[in-house]
Amino acid sequence: MLKFPKSFGGRAAVASMQGIQCTLAAAVLTLSPASSAFADETAALRAAVSAERVRPRAPQLDRTQFLAKASVAGAWLSPDGRHVAYLREEGSNRGVWLLPTAGGAAKQLLPDTESAQLSWSSDSRWLFLSSPRQLSVLAAAGQPGSGVIAKLDGSWRRDFKGADPALPAAALVVEIPPKVSRLPRKWRLLRIGLDGKPVLLHEDAKPIVDFAFGPNGRLTFVTLAEKDKYVIYRKQDNRLRPAMRCEGLDRCRIVSTPHAGQELLLSTNTGSGFRRLALLDHQGKLTTLHTDPRGEADLDEVVPDLRTGQPLIASYRSTVAANYGLTPEARRHVEAIERRYPARNLSIEAGDGGNARWLVRERSGSLKGALFHLYDPATGGFRDILDDIAFRHAGKIVARPPESAMARRIAFTYRASDGMRLHGFLMVPPGIDVARAPLMAHVHGGPFNLARPEFSSTGQLLANRGYIVFEPNFRGSTGLGRDYLFSARGDFGNGRVQQDIVEGVRFLLAQGIGDPSRVGIDGASFGGYSALQGVTFQPELFKVAIAAVPPADFGWVLRWYSHSADQFTDGIPMSTTMRLLSLDPADPGIAERLRMQSPIANAGKLSRPLLLLAGADDERVPIRSVTHYAAQLKSLGKDFSLFIDTEGRHQLEDPRTREAYFYLMEEFLHRRLGGAAPKPPGKPLREHLRRNLQVKGSDLSGL
């Protein structure tokens, strides 16, 4: 929003549970279409789980290995493919480094920066660095001219949109007017050169969301947010002419302008159930160029040819990660890369020119961080780079978790009781008997977000401690198509969305995956809200819950958040977005339904142990939402624990708090579900717990 084994208890209990599982399995198949495809998918899930059984048991790793951050924060290929710029953290400093792709040692360009993102100029000579406060430029080859070129904070906030794709040595910034102003509100698109002088490209009373340029550097298209829709305008003779409308939360992100700037490549779901790559021609006709061949995922990323604007690669990453070459030559290169790194989550940047290399980022559900490789299209050769990446937590170097000890991330599908096909991920600890292992539902936040095919620190920690981990992409999750998103229909109380999570757990149990007597639920933000829902309304299933930064009344927090600040999503007010998603904050009927189904209104029903974590300075879920709920639980004599980071915001970023979160989770679940016991806390962690653990339930009373 706003993210162990025990026996069943004898042969009779085992026979009883097997009967329940068979009944549930039959119910699932009865309630869902009896298609051979679904039977094949379920068989594939069972086979994947069986394969995990024969792997060696993993050693218990230190929790800091799951918390540590990589020293390389990001890497970016220059447009000419001759250099990779990257950010490397050493202690409290974050430096900018440059590595030649043809070989040779990296050199440091800047010892310290606040920037977390780099952007290359179109001529590969300059790097733009943006921080919350300012925009700077850095010479890549040592030429003079580096320094701050624009302030980004202040009453007139500026958003850095990247380097100018048409003109070298220029940056693009959208200036956003203050919410309260004596003057009419105007959004401004600015081009800022190395001298720091802004050039006004477009000014409008409506939010500027996107834009594109012709080969001469002139602004040719601009996308404006107009109440509840986006309109792409063609700019001719300083006049705007509508080229395309995207209504009802349709997206139409500009990718590039091929054919001399007269046409647009778009990532859009207009006229389609899925976001796909489409071409908008000069007559306003929209033609689909590529969509997910598996028919499951929205388009995630497009790599265009930097000279012509033509698309080279389309990528999808919602259920499985896949890249597709869009020209015969690009297809050959992409297939070579995919063969070299099979079944991995690959992100590819293509350089342009005779000696250009390509940059490949390799990720996986079992790989913490990323690996970086260079690919030479001319020879088909590969070279590993940045292979000395270190991982640190609280200033100390720790080892990257070995992939051999990690659980594999298994994508699978199941059917809801109303027949809808749902997606999720499963992580099974290597070498365990799945029928006798505890099962955790780890729910993503948002709720308009999704679990992706990438590393989950919390999920892998739980798996390493012996828990099977289920990550559901309940209806309303993003990245899986328009129908998937809208099918939630605002039913985020104890309704259809929660049932998706519950039915996913029951489906797994019906396949013999997980011990039904040891099932828990956890999550952060909306995931924390779902965890509260689980132990409030489904206590027969969920025996324990861990909820971080959770709204105890989702409707109240939604109203508070939509009115507390000038909240926009790509230029559209959050309240409008929520209305289109059937969660209108101003609708009293919706508010009352969510209140009546909220954990706080049903606090008396809580009968399972609960661990709450919150930040006192949370900007999305106000702390009073959590403390009011905690006070109500205390007055009712409920068994719960409460940890409050006195300076924490919604992300709970303090390394000490993140370690406290993991330690409390380990201890709490060990006592209730029987997973591995945690390593005792050191003195700094004990002191942090002493200061911030406000309420100690029965499971944490000895801390």
Side-chain angles (χ1 to χ4, degrees), residues 355-558:
N355 297 314
R357 268 67 169 184
W358 290 15
L359 176 65
V360 180
R361 293 180 189 81
E362 177 189 355
R363 294 184 176 89
S364 168
S366 58
L367 174 68
K368 185 170 179 62
L371 301 175
F372 297 90
H373 318 282
L374 289 174
Y375 169 69
D376 187 346
T379 65
F382 293 86
R383 180 162 65 90
D384 298 339
I385 60 171
L386 308 181
D387 50 6
D388 60 342
I389 296 174
F391 286 80
R392 290 183 175 84
H393 176 71
K396 297 180 180 179
I397 294 180
V398 299
R400 187 201 298 254
E403 284 201 76
S404 60
M406 295 295 96
R408 295 194 177 101
R409 196 167 176 80
I410 303 168
F412 74 101
T413 61
Y414 63 100
R415 298 280 179 175
S417 55
D418 63 356
M420 182 171 172
R421 184 171 182 260
L422 298 169
H423 299 278
F425 290 95
L426 190 69
M427 286 182 279
V428 178
I432 67 162
D433 180 355
V434 294
R436 296 175 178 269
L439 171 63
M440 287 294 297
H442 178 55
V443 186
H444 71 68
F448 305 110
N449 204 337
L450 80 160
R452 288 175 172 266
E454 56 193 32
F455 192 88
S456 165
S457 293
T458 302
Q460 288 290 3
L461 172 83
L462 289 171
N464 187 252
R465 299 318 190 237
Y467 302 92
I468 299 169
V469 181
F470 166 47
E471 295 185 356
N473 275 325
F474 45 83
R475 69 192 70 196
S477 297
T478 57
L480 294 162
R482 181 183 177 86
D483 291 345
Y484 207 98
L485 172 67
F486 280 87
S487 61
R489 296 184 177 88
D491 200 1
F492 289 98
N494 181 35
R496 185 62 261 179
V497 170
Q498 186 71 10
Q499 281 304 112
D500 287 351
I501 299 165
V502 169
E503 289 170 4
V505 172
R506 295 197 185 281
F507 167 77
L508 293 172
L509 295 174
Q511 310 310 312
I513 300 170
D515 179 348
S517 68
R518 294 189 292 157
V519 178
I521 184 169
D522 80 284
S525 195
F526 179 83
Y529 169 74
S530 178
L532 297 183
Q533 293 276 3
V535 286
T536 301
F537 296 109
Q538 295 93 32
E540 76 289 349
L541 178 64
F542 298 113
K543 309 305 189 292
V544 64
I546 300 172
V549 293
D553 181 342
F554 182 54
W556 182 87
V557 170
L558 195 66

Side-chain angles (χ1 to χ4, degrees), residues 176-447:
I176 302 170
K179 187 174 182 180
V180 179
S181 175
R182 295 180 180 178
L183 301 174
R185 300 191 79 196
K186 294 284 187 179
W187 280 257
R188 298 183 179 95
L189 174 60
L190 306 174
R191 173 180 279 148
I192 300 178
L194 300 184
D195 58 5
K197 294 180 179 179
V199 175
L200 180 64
L201 300 178
H202 184 74
E203 182 180 62
D204 212 286
K206 301 165 186 173
I208 299 171
V209 177
D210 211 349
F211 42 82
F213 298 87
N216 57 3
R218 289 187 177 182
L219 183 68
T220 53
F221 292 92
V222 61
T223 304
L224 303 179
E226 300 185 1
K227 295 183 179 179
D228 60 353
K229 62 180 175 295
Y230 300 104
V231 181
I232 301 177
Y233 289 95
R234 190 185 302 272
K235 190 166 185 177
Q236 295 175 321
D237 302 324
N238 289 323
R239 294 183 179 180
L240 297 183
R241 304 179 187 276
M244 180 175 167
R245 297 180 184 273
C246 305
E247 306 195 39
L249 293 186
D250 279 0
R251 290 293 182 260
C252 41
R253 183 176 63 85
I254 297 174
V255 175
S256 64
T257 52
H259 303 135
Q262 298 302 307
E263 298 181 339
L264 274 182
L265 273 180
L266 298 173
S267 171
T268 181
N269 58 351
T270 298
S272 172
F274 292 93
R275 194 176 304 181
R276 82 283 193 202
L277 179 64
L279 180 70
L280 180 69
D281 67 18
H282 64 281
Q283 295 180 333
K285 181 182 178 183
L286 193 65
T287 303
T288 296
L289 301 182
H290 200 269
T291 191
D292 180 19
R294 302 176 74 245
E296 291 183 350
D298 286 328
L299 178 66
D300 184 66
E301 186 179 12
V302 180
V303 178
D305 185 294
L306 297 175
R307 283 181 296 107
T308 66
Q310 296 290 347
L312 294 178
I313 305 170
S315 305
Y316 304 83
R317 294 188 180 88
S318 298
T319 49
V320 297
N323 295 282
Y324 300 93
L326 303 180
T327 66
E329 187 176 6
R331 190 175 302 116
R332 177 170 59 85
H333 295 315
V334 169
E335 288 174 354
I337 294 170
E338 295 277 359
R339 281 195 303 271
R340 179 64 178 255
Y341 309 106
R344 307 293 266 188
N345 183 351
L346 304 178
S347 179
I348 304 170
E349 288 185 48
D352 176 58
N355 297 314
R357 268 67 169 184
W358 290 15
L359 176 65
V360 180
R361 293 180 189 81
E362 177 189 355
R363 294 184 176 89
S364 168
S366 58
L367 174 68
K368 185 170 179 62
L371 301 175
F372 297 90
H373 318 282
L374 289 174
Y375 169 69
D376 187 346
T379 65
F382 293 86
R383 180 162 65 90
D384 298 339
I385 60 171
L386 308 181
D387 50 6
D388 60 342
I389 296 174
F391 286 80
R392 290 183 175 84
H393 176 71
K396 297 180 180 179
I397 294 180
V398 299
R400 187 201 298 254
E403 284 201 76
S404 60
M406 295 295 96
R408 295 194 177 101
R409 196 167 176 80
I410 303 168
F412 74 101
T413 61
Y414 63 100
R415 298 280 179 175
S417 55
D418 63 356
M420 182 171 172
R421 184 171 182 260
L422 298 169
H423 299 278
F425 290 95
L426 190 69
M427 286 182 279
V428 178
I432 67 162
D433 180 355
V434 294
R436 296 175 178 269
L439 171 63
M440 287 294 297
H442 178 55
V443 186
H444 71 68

Side-chain angles (χ1 to χ4, degrees), residues 119-167:
S119 183
W120 281 96
S121 64
S122 60
D123 62 0
S124 301
R125 297 179 60 205
W126 305 92
L127 285 162
F128 294 99
L129 293 73
S130 63
S131 72
R133 297 186 301 112
Q134 61 193 28
L135 175 64
S136 305
V137 65
L138 183 64
Q143 64 264 31
S146 302
V148 177
I149 60 173
K151 291 187 176 297
L152 300 180
D153 57 359
S155 58
W156 286 73
R157 183 169 59 87
R158 289 174 169 179
D159 281 352
F160 172 57
K161 297 297 185 180
D164 193 317
L167 299 182

Side-chain angles (χ1 to χ4, degrees), residues 664-680:
L664 292 172
M665 175 183 288
E666 290 180 89
E667 181 69 26
F668 192 62
L669 295 179
H670 163 65
R671 298 195 183 192
R672 288 290 174 172
L673 300 184
K679 176 183 175 182

Side-chain angles (χ1 to χ4, degrees), residues 634-649:
K634 195 168 186 65
S635 70
L636 294 169
K638 302 297 183 179
D639 186 10
F640 75 100
S641 299
L642 172 63
F643 177 98
I644 299 178
D645 183 339
T646 55
E647 298 180 357
R649 293 175 67 78

